[in-house]
Short mmCIF file of all heavy atoms in Angstrom, two decimals:
data_model
loop_
_atom_site.label_atom_id
_atom_site.label_comp_id
_atom_site.label_asym_id
_atom_site.label_seq_id
_atom_site.Cartn_x
_atom_site.Cartn_y
_atom_site.Cartn_z
N GLU S 150 41.48 -9.95 -18.76
CA GLU S 150 41.00 -10.74 -19.90
C GLU S 150 41.36 -12.20 -19.78
O GLU S 150 40.99 -13.01 -20.62
CB GLU S 150 41.58 -10.15 -21.20
CG GLU S 150 41.00 -8.78 -21.48
CD GLU S 150 41.66 -8.07 -22.65
OE1 GLU S 150 42.60 -8.64 -23.24
OE2 GLU S 150 41.21 -6.95 -22.95
N LEU S 151 42.12 -12.55 -18.74
CA LEU S 151 42.52 -13.93 -18.49
C LEU S 151 41.90 -14.40 -17.18
O LEU S 151 41.45 -13.58 -16.37
CB LEU S 151 44.05 -14.03 -18.36
CG LEU S 151 44.88 -13.54 -19.52
CD1 LEU S 151 46.35 -13.48 -19.12
CD2 LEU S 151 44.70 -14.47 -20.73
N ASP S 152 41.91 -15.71 -16.96
CA ASP S 152 41.53 -16.24 -15.66
C ASP S 152 42.57 -15.79 -14.63
O ASP S 152 43.77 -15.78 -14.93
CB ASP S 152 41.58 -17.78 -15.66
CG ASP S 152 40.34 -18.39 -16.27
OD1 ASP S 152 39.64 -17.71 -17.03
OD2 ASP S 152 40.10 -19.59 -15.99
N HIS S 153 42.11 -15.46 -13.45
CA HIS S 153 43.04 -15.16 -12.35
C HIS S 153 42.52 -15.81 -11.09
O HIS S 153 41.33 -16.16 -11.00
CB HIS S 153 43.15 -13.65 -12.13
CG HIS S 153 43.85 -12.94 -13.24
ND1 HIS S 153 45.17 -13.17 -13.56
CD2 HIS S 153 43.40 -12.01 -14.11
CE1 HIS S 153 45.49 -12.39 -14.59
NE2 HIS S 153 44.45 -11.68 -14.95
N GLU S 154 43.41 -15.91 -10.12
CA GLU S 154 42.96 -16.43 -8.84
C GLU S 154 43.54 -15.62 -7.68
O GLU S 154 44.52 -14.90 -7.84
CB GLU S 154 43.30 -17.92 -8.70
CG GLU S 154 44.75 -18.22 -8.87
CD GLU S 154 44.99 -19.73 -8.79
OE1 GLU S 154 44.10 -20.50 -9.18
OE2 GLU S 154 46.08 -20.10 -8.33
N PHE S 155 42.86 -15.76 -6.58
CA PHE S 155 43.23 -15.07 -5.35
C PHE S 155 43.42 -16.17 -4.33
O PHE S 155 42.46 -16.86 -3.97
CB PHE S 155 42.07 -14.13 -4.97
CG PHE S 155 42.24 -13.35 -3.69
CD1 PHE S 155 42.58 -12.02 -3.70
CD2 PHE S 155 42.01 -13.96 -2.46
CE1 PHE S 155 42.69 -11.28 -2.53
CE2 PHE S 155 42.12 -13.24 -1.28
CZ PHE S 155 42.46 -11.89 -1.31
N VAL S 156 44.65 -16.36 -3.91
CA VAL S 156 44.97 -17.39 -2.91
C VAL S 156 45.59 -16.67 -1.72
O VAL S 156 46.54 -15.90 -1.89
CB VAL S 156 45.98 -18.43 -3.46
CG1 VAL S 156 46.26 -19.49 -2.41
CG2 VAL S 156 45.47 -19.06 -4.75
N LEU S 157 45.04 -16.92 -0.56
CA LEU S 157 45.52 -16.27 0.67
C LEU S 157 46.17 -17.34 1.53
O LEU S 157 45.56 -18.36 1.83
CB LEU S 157 44.29 -15.68 1.38
CG LEU S 157 44.49 -15.15 2.79
CD1 LEU S 157 45.37 -13.91 2.78
CD2 LEU S 157 43.13 -14.81 3.40
N ASP S 158 47.44 -17.11 1.92
CA ASP S 158 48.11 -18.13 2.73
C ASP S 158 49.42 -17.59 3.27
O ASP S 158 49.81 -16.46 2.98
CB ASP S 158 48.38 -19.38 1.88
CG ASP S 158 48.29 -20.68 2.70
OD1 ASP S 158 48.53 -20.63 3.92
OD2 ASP S 158 47.98 -21.71 2.10
N GLN S 159 50.10 -18.42 4.05
CA GLN S 159 51.43 -18.04 4.50
C GLN S 159 52.40 -18.21 3.32
O GLN S 159 52.14 -19.01 2.42
CB GLN S 159 51.86 -18.87 5.70
CG GLN S 159 52.03 -20.35 5.42
CD GLN S 159 52.04 -21.17 6.70
OE1 GLN S 159 51.04 -21.34 7.36
NE2 GLN S 159 53.20 -21.69 7.02
N GLU S 160 53.50 -17.49 3.35
CA GLU S 160 54.36 -17.42 2.16
C GLU S 160 54.90 -18.78 1.74
O GLU S 160 54.92 -19.09 0.54
CB GLU S 160 55.51 -16.44 2.40
CG GLU S 160 56.36 -16.29 1.13
CD GLU S 160 57.26 -15.06 1.15
OE1 GLU S 160 57.49 -14.51 2.25
OE2 GLU S 160 57.70 -14.67 0.07
N ASP S 161 55.34 -19.61 2.70
CA ASP S 161 55.93 -20.89 2.26
C ASP S 161 54.89 -21.79 1.59
O ASP S 161 55.20 -22.51 0.64
CB ASP S 161 56.69 -21.60 3.39
CG ASP S 161 55.85 -21.90 4.62
OD1 ASP S 161 54.71 -21.41 4.70
OD2 ASP S 161 56.34 -22.64 5.49
N LYS S 162 53.64 -21.71 2.05
CA LYS S 162 52.57 -22.50 1.42
C LYS S 162 52.28 -21.98 0.01
O LYS S 162 52.02 -22.75 -0.91
CB LYS S 162 51.29 -22.41 2.24
CG LYS S 162 51.42 -22.97 3.61
CD LYS S 162 50.94 -24.39 3.64
CE LYS S 162 50.85 -24.85 5.09
NZ LYS S 162 50.14 -26.08 5.22
N ILE S 163 52.31 -20.66 -0.13
CA ILE S 163 52.10 -20.06 -1.45
C ILE S 163 53.16 -20.56 -2.42
O ILE S 163 52.86 -20.94 -3.55
CB ILE S 163 52.15 -18.51 -1.35
CG1 ILE S 163 50.93 -17.97 -0.58
CG2 ILE S 163 52.29 -17.88 -2.72
CD1 ILE S 163 49.68 -17.70 -1.37
N MET S 164 54.41 -20.58 -1.96
CA MET S 164 55.50 -20.96 -2.86
C MET S 164 55.44 -22.46 -3.21
O MET S 164 55.72 -22.86 -4.34
CB MET S 164 56.86 -20.58 -2.27
CG MET S 164 57.04 -19.07 -2.05
SD MET S 164 56.36 -17.98 -3.35
CE MET S 164 57.68 -18.10 -4.57
N GLU S 165 55.05 -23.28 -2.24
CA GLU S 165 54.84 -24.71 -2.51
C GLU S 165 53.75 -24.92 -3.55
O GLU S 165 53.89 -25.70 -4.48
CB GLU S 165 54.31 -25.40 -1.23
CG GLU S 165 55.29 -26.12 -0.40
CD GLU S 165 54.61 -26.67 0.86
OE1 GLU S 165 53.56 -27.33 0.73
OE2 GLU S 165 55.11 -26.40 1.96
N HIS S 166 52.66 -24.20 -3.31
CA HIS S 166 51.49 -24.31 -4.16
C HIS S 166 51.81 -23.82 -5.59
O HIS S 166 51.37 -24.41 -6.58
CB HIS S 166 50.40 -23.45 -3.51
CG HIS S 166 49.02 -23.74 -3.97
ND1 HIS S 166 47.91 -23.38 -3.27
CD2 HIS S 166 48.57 -24.36 -5.09
CE1 HIS S 166 46.85 -23.77 -3.93
NE2 HIS S 166 47.21 -24.36 -5.04
N LYS S 167 52.60 -22.77 -5.65
CA LYS S 167 53.02 -22.23 -6.96
C LYS S 167 53.77 -23.28 -7.75
O LYS S 167 53.53 -23.48 -8.94
CB LYS S 167 53.91 -20.99 -6.70
CG LYS S 167 54.52 -20.34 -7.93
CD LYS S 167 55.24 -19.07 -7.52
CE LYS S 167 55.88 -18.33 -8.67
NZ LYS S 167 57.14 -18.95 -9.15
N ALA S 168 54.66 -24.01 -7.07
CA ALA S 168 55.45 -25.05 -7.75
C ALA S 168 54.53 -26.16 -8.25
O ALA S 168 54.73 -26.69 -9.35
CB ALA S 168 56.49 -25.60 -6.79
N VAL S 169 53.53 -26.52 -7.46
CA VAL S 169 52.60 -27.57 -7.89
C VAL S 169 51.81 -27.11 -9.11
O VAL S 169 51.62 -27.85 -10.08
CB VAL S 169 51.64 -27.95 -6.74
CG1 VAL S 169 50.58 -28.94 -7.24
CG2 VAL S 169 52.41 -28.55 -5.57
N MET S 170 51.38 -25.84 -9.08
CA MET S 170 50.61 -25.30 -10.20
C MET S 170 51.42 -25.26 -11.50
O MET S 170 50.87 -25.39 -12.58
CB MET S 170 50.14 -23.87 -9.88
CG MET S 170 49.01 -23.80 -8.90
SD MET S 170 47.45 -24.37 -9.58
CE MET S 170 47.01 -22.98 -10.64
N GLU S 171 52.73 -25.07 -11.34
CA GLU S 171 53.56 -25.03 -12.56
C GLU S 171 53.66 -26.43 -13.17
O GLU S 171 53.79 -26.57 -14.38
CB GLU S 171 54.93 -24.44 -12.21
CG GLU S 171 54.81 -22.91 -12.07
CD GLU S 171 55.94 -22.24 -11.35
OE1 GLU S 171 56.91 -22.92 -10.96
OE2 GLU S 171 55.86 -21.00 -11.17
N LYS S 172 53.57 -27.47 -12.33
CA LYS S 172 53.59 -28.85 -12.85
C LYS S 172 52.22 -29.28 -13.34
O LYS S 172 52.11 -30.07 -14.28
CB LYS S 172 54.02 -29.81 -11.74
CG LYS S 172 55.50 -29.79 -11.49
CD LYS S 172 55.89 -30.95 -10.56
CE LYS S 172 57.37 -30.94 -10.29
NZ LYS S 172 57.71 -31.66 -9.07
N PHE S 173 51.19 -28.81 -12.67
CA PHE S 173 49.82 -29.26 -12.97
C PHE S 173 48.92 -28.03 -13.15
O PHE S 173 48.12 -27.69 -12.30
CB PHE S 173 49.28 -30.12 -11.82
CG PHE S 173 50.19 -31.26 -11.46
CD1 PHE S 173 50.97 -31.20 -10.31
CD2 PHE S 173 50.31 -32.38 -12.27
CE1 PHE S 173 51.83 -32.24 -9.96
CE2 PHE S 173 51.15 -33.43 -11.93
CZ PHE S 173 51.92 -33.37 -10.78
N PRO S 174 49.08 -27.36 -14.31
CA PRO S 174 48.40 -26.06 -14.52
C PRO S 174 46.88 -26.17 -14.50
O PRO S 174 46.22 -25.16 -14.25
CB PRO S 174 48.88 -25.62 -15.90
CG PRO S 174 49.96 -26.53 -16.29
CD PRO S 174 49.92 -27.76 -15.44
N GLU S 175 46.33 -27.35 -14.72
CA GLU S 175 44.87 -27.48 -14.76
C GLU S 175 44.27 -27.65 -13.36
O GLU S 175 43.07 -27.75 -13.20
CB GLU S 175 44.46 -28.66 -15.64
CG GLU S 175 44.92 -28.53 -17.09
CD GLU S 175 44.57 -27.18 -17.69
OE1 GLU S 175 43.42 -26.73 -17.53
OE2 GLU S 175 45.47 -26.55 -18.29
N MET S 176 45.14 -27.74 -12.38
CA MET S 176 44.67 -27.93 -11.01
C MET S 176 43.69 -26.83 -10.62
O MET S 176 43.93 -25.66 -10.87
CB MET S 176 45.88 -27.89 -10.09
CG MET S 176 45.59 -28.26 -8.68
SD MET S 176 47.16 -28.35 -7.82
CE MET S 176 46.92 -27.08 -6.63
N GLU S 177 42.61 -27.22 -10.00
CA GLU S 177 41.64 -26.24 -9.54
C GLU S 177 41.55 -26.29 -8.03
O GLU S 177 41.82 -27.31 -7.42
CB GLU S 177 40.27 -26.53 -10.14
CG GLU S 177 40.24 -26.20 -11.61
CD GLU S 177 38.93 -26.56 -12.27
OE1 GLU S 177 37.92 -26.64 -11.55
OE2 GLU S 177 38.94 -26.78 -13.48
N HIS S 178 41.20 -25.17 -7.45
CA HIS S 178 41.13 -25.08 -5.99
C HIS S 178 39.70 -25.17 -5.51
O HIS S 178 38.83 -24.54 -6.08
CB HIS S 178 41.71 -23.75 -5.52
CG HIS S 178 43.06 -23.51 -6.08
ND1 HIS S 178 43.32 -22.56 -7.01
CD2 HIS S 178 44.22 -24.15 -5.84
CE1 HIS S 178 44.58 -22.61 -7.32
NE2 HIS S 178 45.16 -23.56 -6.63
N GLU S 179 39.52 -25.88 -4.45
CA GLU S 179 38.21 -25.85 -3.80
C GLU S 179 38.40 -25.42 -2.37
O GLU S 179 37.53 -25.60 -1.54
CB GLU S 179 37.57 -27.23 -3.87
CG GLU S 179 37.23 -27.63 -5.30
CD GLU S 179 36.79 -29.07 -5.41
OE1 GLU S 179 35.96 -29.48 -4.59
OE2 GLU S 179 37.31 -29.77 -6.28
N ASP S 180 39.53 -24.89 -2.05
CA ASP S 180 39.83 -24.50 -0.68
C ASP S 180 39.16 -23.16 -0.36
O ASP S 180 39.04 -22.29 -1.23
CB ASP S 180 41.34 -24.36 -0.49
CG ASP S 180 42.04 -25.67 -0.79
OD1 ASP S 180 41.53 -26.72 -0.34
OD2 ASP S 180 43.08 -25.65 -1.45
N PRO S 181 38.75 -22.96 0.88
CA PRO S 181 38.06 -21.72 1.23
C PRO S 181 38.96 -20.48 1.20
O PRO S 181 38.45 -19.35 1.17
CB PRO S 181 37.56 -21.97 2.65
CG PRO S 181 38.34 -23.12 3.16
CD PRO S 181 38.77 -23.92 1.97
N ASN S 182 40.28 -20.69 1.17
CA ASN S 182 41.20 -19.54 1.13
C ASN S 182 41.59 -19.18 -0.30
O ASN S 182 42.52 -18.40 -0.50
CB ASN S 182 42.45 -19.84 1.94
CG ASN S 182 43.23 -21.01 1.38
OD1 ASN S 182 42.65 -22.00 0.95
ND2 ASN S 182 44.55 -20.90 1.37
N ALA S 183 40.91 -19.75 -1.29
CA ALA S 183 41.29 -19.50 -2.68
C ALA S 183 40.05 -19.42 -3.56
O ALA S 183 39.07 -20.11 -3.33
CB ALA S 183 42.20 -20.61 -3.17
N ILE S 184 40.15 -18.57 -4.58
CA ILE S 184 39.06 -18.49 -5.55
C ILE S 184 39.67 -18.20 -6.91
O ILE S 184 40.63 -17.46 -7.02
CB ILE S 184 38.03 -17.40 -5.14
CG1 ILE S 184 36.80 -17.46 -6.04
CG2 ILE S 184 38.65 -16.00 -5.14
CD1 ILE S 184 35.65 -16.58 -5.53
N ARG S 185 39.13 -18.87 -7.91
CA ARG S 185 39.57 -18.64 -9.28
C ARG S 185 38.41 -18.02 -10.04
O ARG S 185 37.29 -18.50 -9.95
CB ARG S 185 39.98 -19.97 -9.93
CG ARG S 185 40.55 -19.79 -11.34
CD ARG S 185 41.07 -21.11 -11.85
NE ARG S 185 41.60 -20.96 -13.18
CZ ARG S 185 42.84 -21.35 -13.54
NH1 ARG S 185 43.63 -21.92 -12.67
NH2 ARG S 185 43.26 -21.20 -14.77
N LEU S 186 38.69 -16.93 -10.75
CA LEU S 186 37.63 -16.19 -11.44
C LEU S 186 37.97 -16.02 -12.91
O LEU S 186 39.07 -15.61 -13.26
CB LEU S 186 37.46 -14.81 -10.79
CG LEU S 186 36.94 -14.80 -9.34
CD1 LEU S 186 37.10 -13.40 -8.75
CD2 LEU S 186 35.49 -15.26 -9.27
N ALA S 187 37.00 -16.30 -13.76
CA ALA S 187 37.15 -16.04 -15.18
C ALA S 187 37.07 -14.53 -15.42
O ALA S 187 36.60 -13.78 -14.55
CB ALA S 187 36.06 -16.76 -15.96
N ALA S 188 37.50 -14.11 -16.59
CA ALA S 188 37.45 -12.68 -16.94
C ALA S 188 36.07 -12.11 -16.71
O ALA S 188 35.07 -12.71 -17.09
CB ALA S 188 37.85 -12.51 -18.41
N GLY S 189 36.03 -10.97 -16.03
CA GLY S 189 34.77 -10.28 -15.81
C GLY S 189 33.98 -10.75 -14.61
O GLY S 189 32.99 -10.11 -14.23
N LYS S 190 34.42 -11.85 -13.99
CA LYS S 190 33.64 -12.42 -12.87
C LYS S 190 34.08 -11.84 -11.52
O LYS S 190 35.20 -11.36 -11.36
CB LYS S 190 33.82 -13.93 -12.82
CG LYS S 190 33.33 -14.66 -14.05
CD LYS S 190 31.81 -14.64 -14.14
CE LYS S 190 31.34 -15.46 -15.33
NZ LYS S 190 29.92 -15.25 -15.61
N SER S 191 33.15 -11.92 -10.58
CA SER S 191 33.42 -11.45 -9.22
C SER S 191 33.14 -12.57 -8.23
O SER S 191 32.35 -13.47 -8.51
CB SER S 191 32.52 -10.27 -8.87
OG SER S 191 32.79 -9.19 -9.72
N GLY S 192 33.77 -12.49 -7.09
CA GLY S 192 33.53 -13.48 -6.05
C GLY S 192 34.01 -12.96 -4.71
O GLY S 192 34.55 -11.84 -4.62
N GLU S 193 33.84 -13.77 -3.69
CA GLU S 193 34.21 -13.34 -2.33
C GLU S 193 34.99 -14.42 -1.61
O GLU S 193 34.74 -15.60 -1.78
CB GLU S 193 32.94 -13.12 -1.49
CG GLU S 193 32.25 -11.82 -1.75
CD GLU S 193 31.01 -11.67 -0.88
OE1 GLU S 193 30.58 -12.63 -0.20
OE2 GLU S 193 30.46 -10.57 -0.90
N ILE S 194 35.90 -13.96 -0.78
CA ILE S 194 36.52 -14.83 0.23
C ILE S 194 36.21 -14.15 1.56
O ILE S 194 36.47 -12.96 1.74
CB ILE S 194 38.06 -14.88 0.07
CG1 ILE S 194 38.47 -15.46 -1.28
CG2 ILE S 194 38.69 -15.62 1.23
CD1 ILE S 194 38.73 -16.93 -1.29
N ILE S 195 35.64 -14.89 2.48
CA ILE S 195 35.38 -14.36 3.82
C ILE S 195 36.32 -15.04 4.76
O ILE S 195 36.32 -16.29 4.86
CB ILE S 195 33.91 -14.58 4.22
CG1 ILE S 195 32.99 -13.96 3.15
CG2 ILE S 195 33.63 -13.98 5.59
CD1 ILE S 195 31.52 -14.31 3.34
N TRP S 196 37.17 -14.25 5.42
CA TRP S 196 38.28 -14.86 6.15
C TRP S 196 38.46 -14.25 7.53
O TRP S 196 38.44 -13.02 7.67
CB TRP S 196 39.58 -14.69 5.34
CG TRP S 196 40.62 -15.64 5.80
CD1 TRP S 196 41.68 -15.35 6.60
CD2 TRP S 196 40.68 -17.03 5.54
NE1 TRP S 196 42.38 -16.51 6.85
CE2 TRP S 196 41.79 -17.55 6.22
CE3 TRP S 196 39.87 -17.90 4.79
CZ2 TRP S 196 42.14 -18.90 6.17
CZ3 TRP S 196 40.21 -19.24 4.75
CH2 TRP S 196 41.34 -19.72 5.43
N LYS S 197 38.67 -15.12 8.48
CA LYS S 197 38.99 -14.66 9.84
C LYS S 197 40.48 -14.87 10.09
O LYS S 197 40.99 -16.00 10.00
CB LYS S 197 38.17 -15.45 10.86
CG LYS S 197 38.45 -14.97 12.29
CD LYS S 197 37.59 -15.68 13.30
CE LYS S 197 37.88 -15.12 14.70
NZ LYS S 197 37.20 -15.91 15.75
N PHE S 198 41.16 -13.79 10.41
CA PHE S 198 42.61 -13.83 10.66
C PHE S 198 42.82 -14.15 12.13
O PHE S 198 42.54 -13.33 12.99
CB PHE S 198 43.26 -12.51 10.27
CG PHE S 198 43.27 -12.30 8.79
CD1 PHE S 198 42.23 -11.64 8.16
CD2 PHE S 198 44.31 -12.80 8.01
CE1 PHE S 198 42.22 -11.46 6.78
CE2 PHE S 198 44.30 -12.62 6.63
CZ PHE S 198 43.26 -11.96 6.02
N THR S 199 43.32 -15.36 12.41
CA THR S 199 43.40 -15.82 13.80
C THR S 199 44.80 -15.65 14.39
O THR S 199 45.00 -15.92 15.58
CB THR S 199 42.98 -17.30 13.90
OG1 THR S 199 43.75 -18.04 12.95
CG2 THR S 199 41.50 -17.47 13.60
N ASN S 200 45.75 -15.24 13.56
CA ASN S 200 47.13 -15.04 14.06
C ASN S 200 47.69 -13.74 13.51
O ASN S 200 47.38 -13.37 12.37
CB ASN S 200 48.04 -16.18 13.57
CG ASN S 200 47.69 -17.50 14.23
OD1 ASN S 200 47.82 -17.65 15.44
ND2 ASN S 200 47.22 -18.44 13.44
N ASP S 201 48.52 -13.10 14.29
CA ASP S 201 49.22 -11.94 13.74
C ASP S 201 50.41 -12.43 12.93
O ASP S 201 50.82 -13.58 13.03
CB ASP S 201 49.66 -10.98 14.86
CG ASP S 201 50.56 -11.62 15.87
OD1 ASP S 201 50.05 -12.40 16.69
OD2 ASP S 201 51.77 -11.39 15.82
N GLY S 202 50.92 -11.55 12.08
CA GLY S 202 52.05 -11.94 11.24
C GLY S 202 51.90 -11.38 9.85
O GLY S 202 51.03 -10.55 9.59
N THR S 203 52.75 -11.85 8.96
CA THR S 203 52.73 -11.39 7.57
C THR S 203 52.38 -12.56 6.67
O THR S 203 53.00 -13.62 6.76
CB THR S 203 54.10 -10.82 7.17
OG1 THR S 203 54.42 -9.78 8.10
CG2 THR S 203 54.06 -10.21 5.79
N PHE S 204 51.38 -12.36 5.85
CA PHE S 204 50.90 -13.41 4.95
C PHE S 204 50.89 -12.86 3.53
O PHE S 204 51.24 -11.69 3.32
CB PHE S 204 49.52 -13.88 5.41
CG PHE S 204 49.54 -14.41 6.82
CD1 PHE S 204 49.21 -13.60 7.89
CD2 PHE S 204 49.97 -15.71 7.06
CE1 PHE S 204 49.28 -14.08 9.20
CE2 PHE S 204 50.04 -16.20 8.37
CZ PHE S 204 49.69 -15.38 9.43
N LYS S 205 50.50 -13.73 2.59
CA LYS S 205 50.51 -13.29 1.19
C LYS S 205 49.22 -13.62 0.48
O LYS S 205 48.53 -14.58 0.83
CB LYS S 205 51.67 -13.97 0.42
CG LYS S 205 53.03 -13.48 0.85
CD LYS S 205 54.11 -13.65 -0.22
CE LYS S 205 53.99 -12.81 -1.44
NZ LYS S 205 54.66 -11.50 -1.39
#
Side-chain angles (χ1 to χ4, degrees):
E150 292 173 359
L151 302 170
D152 280 20
H153 291 296
E154 57 183 31
F155 178 103
V156 181
L157 170 67
D158 214 333
Q159 65 197 72
E160 184 163 18
D161 58 350
K162 298 264 190 168
I163 291 273
M164 298 320 280
E165 261 177 51
H166 198 161
K167 176 174 180 284
V169 174
M170 285 289 285
E171 283 163 2
K172 283 190 181 159
F173 308 105
E175 300 310 313
M176 188 173 118
E177 289 176 24
H178 308 110
E179 293 171 47
D180 300 317
N182 63 320
I184 189 170
R185 184 174 179 127
L186 294 168
K190 299 289 184 192
S191 297
E193 281 181 351
I194 298 267
I195 304 171
W196 198 258
K197 182 177 182 188
F198 290 91
T199 52
N200 291 296
D201 59 285
T203 305
F204 301 96
K205 290 204 67 90

